[in-house]
Amino acid sequence: MIIKVLGTGCPNCKKMVANVSQAVKELNIEATIEKVENIQKIMAYGVMRLPAIVIDGQVKTMGRVLSCEEVKKYLL
Amino acid sequence: MIRGRVDKLTILKEIGDFIVYQILGMKWLNELIGNLIQWIFGETFANSTWGEIIQYFFYDFIKIGLLLCFLIFIISYIQSFFPPERTKKILSRYHGIGANALGALLGTVTPFCSCSSIPIFIGFSRAGLSTGVTFSFLISSPLVDLGALALLTSIFGYGVALTYVAVGLILAIIGGTIIEKTGLGKHIEPFVTEGIDIIIESQKLTFKDRLIYSKDQMLSTYKKVVLYIVIGVIIGAVIHNLIPEAWIVSALGSNNPLSVIYATIIGAPIYADIFGTIPVAEALYAKGAGLGTILAFMMSVTTLSLPSLIMLKKVVKWKLLIAFIGIVMIGIIIIGYAFNGLEYLFIN
């Protein structure tokens, strides 16, 4: 599974990355987490609200910091 | 007949006053805190300068906090119906000044945080929206906030609050139109439009999703701005109780011809939330600063700030950035003088 967190590096985006890492660790699953900060790459997903989460190429949520528990729902 | 009509009007006015002073203004809270301080520390302390500063601080802090939480919740619920994806879709159907007007209006209801301003700018541009329309949106979004409308009502009454919203929208429409018509809008970084417009569907939200979203927005906004409110209220309390009225009147009163220009220039680089600015405005106003001067200061603080300009510089060239700053500042200065000149219409 490839999880991408889209965000330009604001505190919210960093918090999102931390929550995603935590969720992956707690579920003990195989996943690579990638932080996408390049605006061109972010725009390629058509996302206008940050932070956003992309799982296996699909935009799952935008404009909201997900809690660790919420991330887990998308991973299972 | 005439008698009955007058009675009805009086009742309506009383209901209006009750909303303005007791519900939005929370005068009862001020009295409650005053009584509490007197009860705990005694009458001498309560009537001393420090007692009054403490009373003012707690009253303003609690009032703004309560209003803010309540308002952000309601507003977020409304905003959850207008994600930027939808705004983009709506705006791409319109052209000309109508598009600017719609951009300014949607700016007030589209949820927007400063870290999303760049993706929104690029997303709108790639969807074929003109730079002028995008600027109308970007000017009105921080300036004409629904929360600010309610807070302004609580301090200055309906007349001032509604006029503030109206002139804010006009500034956004005219600013965007000038950028459009003068051709300044083409001075954007090339990468902004190099790329295709990706259309993604906004998530379908249930009633429960919207409530969760509103609650999250309320908590995160409160956490984000609480520091600004504390600083704003402390400055407000100091102005309210320590700074002599004569100073403020001579520096910021409507009789000082340069007051509006000072307020606008001082406010521009400052970064503060509108909720932090309002307590300062409230205290300055009570001490005799001109209404237009205060509104100019608030508009300048919320619309222009160093962090947002640095952000904007990533997508626009110097020429457009400077034009944007110039247009907004001149607009605010004109609005400030107009309010100072017409102050007698609002305050009775």
Side-chain angles (χ1 to χ4, degrees), chain B residues 153-282:
Chain B
T153 309
S154 85
I155 298 166
F156 302 110
Y158 297 111
V160 173
L162 290 175
T163 317
Y164 174 88
V165 170
V167 292
L169 288 174
I170 293 169
L171 175 64
I173 296 167
I174 294 178
T177 307
I178 293 176
I179 286 170
E180 181 90 63
K181 296 281 179 224
T182 50
L184 282 163
K186 62 178 188 293
H187 297 284
I188 51 176
E189 294 296 340
F191 82 88
V192 171
T193 45
E194 278 165 13
I196 47 162
D197 175 32
I198 313 265
I199 296 158
I200 46 169
E201 284 299 311
S202 347
Q203 296 123 306
K204 292 259 179 302
L205 296 174
T206 62
F207 176 66
K208 204 183 147 205
D209 289 337
R210 293 184 202 281
L211 288 184
I212 293 172
Y213 169 79
S214 310
K215 192 198 81 193
D216 285 355
Q217 285 297 106
M218 179 182 90
L219 293 176
S220 68
T221 310
Y222 188 77
K223 273 187 217 149
K224 207 167 68 190
V225 303
V226 69
L227 186 66
Y228 293 109
I229 298 177
V230 171
I231 296 170
V233 175
I234 290 175
I235 297 174
V238 167
I239 294 170
H240 187 262
N241 295 293
L242 293 178
I243 312 253
E245 193 161 334
W247 292 10
I248 292 172
V249 171
S250 70
L252 299 172
S254 28
N255 292 331
N256 181 342
L258 289 175
S259 62
V260 173
I261 295 176
Y262 288 152
T264 309
I265 293 173
I266 294 169
I270 298 177
Y271 173 71
D273 189 87
I274 185 132
F275 291 99
T277 324
I278 283 175
V280 178
E282 183 182 8

Side-chain angles (χ1 to χ4, degrees), chain B residues 14 26 124 166 180 192 203 223 250 292 299 304 342 344:
Chain B
E14 270 170 21
M26 297 187 208
F124 280 16
E180 181 90 63
V192 171
Q203 296 123 306
K223 273 187 217 149
S250 70
M299 289 181 145
L304 300 170
L342 300 171
Y344 62 92

Side-chain angles (χ1 to χ4, degrees), chain B residues 98-119:
Chain B
N100 288 85
L102 203 59
L105 278 173
L106 287 169
T108 64
V109 290
T110 303
F112 175 85
C113 97
S114 55
C115 45
S116 294
S117 59
I118 300 305

Side-chain angles (χ1 to χ4, degrees), chain B residues 118-177:
Chain B
I118 300 305
I120 285 181
F121 193 96
I122 299 174
F124 280 16
S125 302
R126 287 186 184 171
L129 264 64
S130 73
T131 315
V133 173
T134 307
F135 267 100
S136 286
F137 176 87
L138 288 179
I139 296 172
S140 97
S141 198
L143 183 66
V144 189
D145 188 276
L146 293 171
L149 171 66
L151 270 183
L152 283 172
T153 309
S154 85
I155 298 166
F156 302 110
Y158 297 111
V160 173
L162 290 175
T163 317
Y164 174 88
V165 170
V167 292
L169 288 174
I170 293 169
L171 175 64
I173 296 167
I174 294 178
T177 307

Side-chain angles (χ1 to χ4, degrees), chain A residues 15-76:
Chain A
K15 205 167 145 203
M16 181 86 152
V17 174
N19 289 352
V20 171
S21 317
Q22 182 72 21
V24 167
K25 212 165 100 188
E26 282 179 20
L27 290 175
N28 202 13
I29 52 172
E30 283 287 312
T32 43
I33 303 166
E34 200 187 314
K35 226 175 137 194
V36 183
E37 293 193 344
N38 180 297
I39 189 74
Q40 289 287 49
K41 285 183 184 156
I42 291 174
M43 292 314 295
Y45 289 99
V47 167
M48 285 190 285
R49 282 179 289 158
L50 302 173
I53 186 169
V54 179
I55 298 174
D56 290 334
Q58 262 208 316
V59 180
K60 293 292 182 188
T61 70
M62 303 176 279
R64 217 158 69 78
V65 179
L66 300 181
S67 69
C68 182
E69 294 307 310
E70 284 176 299
V71 175
K72 282 181 189 171
K73 273 187 250 161
Y74 289 101
L75 299 182
L76 291 173

